[in-house]
């Protein structure tokens, strides 16, 4: 039975009226387009299946890659959506689509999901930013705060990181050679200059610059410096998530959520596996398996799992057909995403693909549906409108979006 967009709008509006209190989000961004056919939706016995075997999980009927053994053991905390589909097979366009919920449109500066959700939660007195992006990829530009105010922009951590020691916020530590009274005096002079100048020039770019400098000064407080200090974390907690960039980025994400940050994303790069897909996926799966399973256990032990939604997502999947270089190419037509925590992950398996992995066979869902479902899960109305830079209101999720049945 066909249901019109207006019907979905009414449904979402009704759902919004009974939403729980806002929750926090950790987005694990698998940059490059992960071969989800080799992670969450294997095709054993088919020529497209490749060399990997399935492993049983704690959820009857759910089998995932043999290279995700720890996630198999906590599969009852996962929700696997195997029926995502889109038309965007270009990295740049698909990344924009998956992270904003909209395909690129000339002249419109769409915000990332993190900025949208932070915007809905309003201004905060915390010296920490509400949106932090850890290990953003080097060759792909994220949308950031788009047409929203500068307070919704992400703080980037480890943009050029090559080692765990690089997971720091640059210039956060004050100059120890500078006496405290002189440092305070300099900050007062800067703030007075900003106040005077922005009072005379009310242009958005001037106000945004002043706001960025004000927040930068607030971030130099000792409690903020400590929030990003991984050395303050117990060894066991750091070991559990893996002593690599991604694992330690997830440790930092949890530390930031404990201190009031609302949205943290951690990027695991390297999923653009046109060549030698399987060797690369084994290595990446090891990092993902340990970090995600450890993060779930860590949050559960701290009583934070129900109030934190984890979303594991890339821009698209990869071709079921294996190419001549033992790789897989871009395939947006059928791919998977995984959610955990936030009252959502309960061992669900949603949707199905064909035996060859080429098509979605049941319960197809689009990116806007996922955006709307994330919003609903954390207590944000996905039909909320924001004024854009082209002077027309734009909803957080496209009006055609519907909730993913089975998640709630």
């Amino acid at each position: 039975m066909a249901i019109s967009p207006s019907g979905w709008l009414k449904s979402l509006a009704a759902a919004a009226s009974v939403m729980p209190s806002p929750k926090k989000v950790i987005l694990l961004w698998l940059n490059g387009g992960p071969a989800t056919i080799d992670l969450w939706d294997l095709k054993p016995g088919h020529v497209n299946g490749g060399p990997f075997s399935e492993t049983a999980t704690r959820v009857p009927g759910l089998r995932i890659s043999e290279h995700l053994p720890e996630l198999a053991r906590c599969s009852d905390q996962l929700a696997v959506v195997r029926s995502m589909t889109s038309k965007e097979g270009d990295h740049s366009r698909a990344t924009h689509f998956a992270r904003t919920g909209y395909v690129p449109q000339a002249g419109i500066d769409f915000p990332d999901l993190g900025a949208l959700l932070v915007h809905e939660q309003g201004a905060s007195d915390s010296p920490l930013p509400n949106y932090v992006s850890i290990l953003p990829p080097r060759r792909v530009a994220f949308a950031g705060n788009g047409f929203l105010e500068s307070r919704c922009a992400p703080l980037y951590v480890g943009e050029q990181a090559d080692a765990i020691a690089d997971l720091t916020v640059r210039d956060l530590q004050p100059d120890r050679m500078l006496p405290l009274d002189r440092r305070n005096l300099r900050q007062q002079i800067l703030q007075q200059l900003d106040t005077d100048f922005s009072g005379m020039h009310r242009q958005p770019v001037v106000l945004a610059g002043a706001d960025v400098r004000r927040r930068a000064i607030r971030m130099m407080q000792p409690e903020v410096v400590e929030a990003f200090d991984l050395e303050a974390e117990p060894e066991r907690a750091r070991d559990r998530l893996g002593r690599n960039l991604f694992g330690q980025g997830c440790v930092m994400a949890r530390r930031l959520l404990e201190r009031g940050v609302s949205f943290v994303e951690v990027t695991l790069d390297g999923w653009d596996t046109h060549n030698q897909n399987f060797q690369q996926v084994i290595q990446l799966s090891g990092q993902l398996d340990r970090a995600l399973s450890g993060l779930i256990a860590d949050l559960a032990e701290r009583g934070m799992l129900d109030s934190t939604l984890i979303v594991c997502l890339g821009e698209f999947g990869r071709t079921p057909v294996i190419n001549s270089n033992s790789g897989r190419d871009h395939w947006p037509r059928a791919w998977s995403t995984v959610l955990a925590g936030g009252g959502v992950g309960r061992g669900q398996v949603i949707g199905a693909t064909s035996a060859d992995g080429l098509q979605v066979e049941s319960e197809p869902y689009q990116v806007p549906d996922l955006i709307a479902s994330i919003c609903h899960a954390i207590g944000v109305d996905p039909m909320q409108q924001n004024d854009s830079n082209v002077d027309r209101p734009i909803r957080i999720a496209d009006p055609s979006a519907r909730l993913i049945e089975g998640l709630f």
Side-chain angles (χ1 to χ4, degrees):
M1 180 179 67
I3 299 178
S4 67
S6 61
W8 286 116
L9 279 173
K10 292 177 181 178
S11 173
L12 287 171
S17 66
V18 294
M19 284 179 175
S21 58
K23 298 176 182 177
K24 299 178 179 180
V25 177
I26 295 177
L27 171 61
L28 304 181
W29 179 254
L30 308 185
N31 194 61
T36 56
I37 190 174
D38 297 319
L39 300 173
W40 316 111
D41 190 17
L42 278 68
K43 302 298 179 184
H46 193 281
V47 67
N48 292 348
F52 293 175
S53 298
E54 290 183 314
T55 190
T57 73
R58 297 181 65 175
V59 178
L62 173 60
R63 301 176 73 85
I64 60 177
S65 166
E66 62 180 318
H67 301 295
L68 300 172
E70 297 301 323
L71 286 169
R73 280 189 272 275
C74 64
S75 55
D76 55 342
Q77 304 286 340
L78 304 177
V80 181
V81 184
R82 287 175 164 169
S83 51
M84 296 298 300
T85 183
S86 94
K87 298 179 180 177
E88 300 298 335
D90 168 77
H91 284 296
S92 178
R93 288 181 60 86
T95 296
H96 186 280
F97 188 35
R99 295 177 55 85
T100 69
Y102 290 88
V103 296
Q105 298 176 38
I108 303 180
D109 194 7
F110 288 101
D112 273 326
L113 178 63
L116 288 161
L117 299 184
V118 165
H119 176 75
E120 289 307 302
Q121 294 174 354
S124 168
D125 292 331
S126 170
L128 282 163
N130 268 331
Y131 177 14
V132 178
S133 180
I134 301 171
L135 297 169
R138 302 183 183 194
R139 296 181 299 278
V140 177
F142 289 164
N145 60 306
F147 55 66
L148 298 176
E149 59 266 40
S150 60
R151 72 168 180 84
C152 302
L155 172 73
Y156 293 113
V157 180
E159 300 104 304
Q160 303 293 324
D162 292 315
I164 294 172
D166 299 330
L167 275 175
T168 59
V169 181
R170 289 180 295 180
D171 304 320
L172 191 60
Q173 294 278 6
D175 183 355
R176 297 181 179 177
M177 301 298 292
L178 186 67
L180 180 61
D181 57 342
R182 291 190 62 189
R183 188 167 73 233
N184 290 339
L185 178 60
R186 289 183 179 186
Q187 292 176 0
Q188 291 170 12
I189 293 172
L190 176 60
Q191 289 176 322
Q192 187 60 53
L193 288 172
D194 271 337
T195 300
D196 294 345
F197 190 73
S198 59
M200 293 185 290
H201 305 280
R202 303 298 295 172
Q203 292 90 341
V205 65
V206 174
L207 298 176
D211 181 58
V212 167
R213 286 186 287 275
R214 179 183 60 80
R215 290 188 289 120
I217 291 174
R218 291 174 62 190
M219 283 192 60
M220 296 175 71
Q221 298 178 21
E223 61 266 34
V224 176
V225 176
E226 192 271 343
F228 292 96
D229 184 8
L230 288 172
E231 295 300 322
E233 193 71 19
E235 293 294 315
R236 176 180 174 274
R238 297 188 66 181
D239 291 342
R240 172 188 256 177
L241 275 69
R243 290 279 184 168
N244 52 65
L245 276 171
F246 183 63
Q248 297 304 289
C250 290
V251 174
M252 184 178 287
R254 190 263 297 154
R255 285 180 63 83
L256 293 172
L257 260 60
E258 285 182 304
R259 289 156 177 79
V261 178
S262 300
F263 191 104
V264 184
E265 61 189 14
V266 189
T267 296
L268 179 57
D269 206 351
W271 294 93
D272 195 16
T273 52
H274 292 282
N275 301 293
Q276 304 303 319
N277 169 79
F278 301 101
Q279 290 93 326
Q280 295 181 73
V281 170
I282 288 175
Q283 186 270 334
L284 291 163
S285 294
Q287 295 185 57
L288 177 63
D289 184 52
R290 188 162 181 175
L292 178 52
S293 63
L295 189 58
I296 291 171
D298 207 9
L299 291 170
E301 288 178 2
R302 295 165 191 269
M304 298 171 61
L305 188 58
D306 286 342
S307 61
T308 304
L309 178 67
I310 305 172
V311 182
C312 184
L313 174 69
E315 62 263 44
F316 43 55
R318 306 201 75 82
T319 49
V321 176
I322 301 166
N323 67 28
S324 58
N325 296 315
S326 296
R328 296 190 189 271
D329 303 314
H330 304 177
W331 193 253
R333 193 176 299 173
W335 47 286
S336 303
T337 188
V338 169
L339 301 94
V344 167
R346 302 185 302 277
Q348 305 102 305
V349 183
I350 299 167
T353 54
S354 53
D356 57 11
L358 289 167
Q359 309 289 341
V360 172
E361 282 197 337
S362 68
E363 303 179 70
Y365 288 106
Q366 305 273 347
V367 166
D369 304 329
L370 178 63
I371 298 289
S373 299
I374 292 171
C375 290
H376 180 70
I378 67 168
V380 168
D381 179 4
M383 292 296 107
Q384 177 65 37
Q385 297 184 125
N386 295 300
D387 292 333
S388 71
N389 60 310
V390 293
D391 294 327
R392 70 176 174 86
I394 295 178
R395 299 182 189 278
I396 295 176
D398 187 272
S400 65
R402 58 195 177 110
L403 298 181
I404 297 177
E405 294 184 26
L407 279 182
F408 307 102

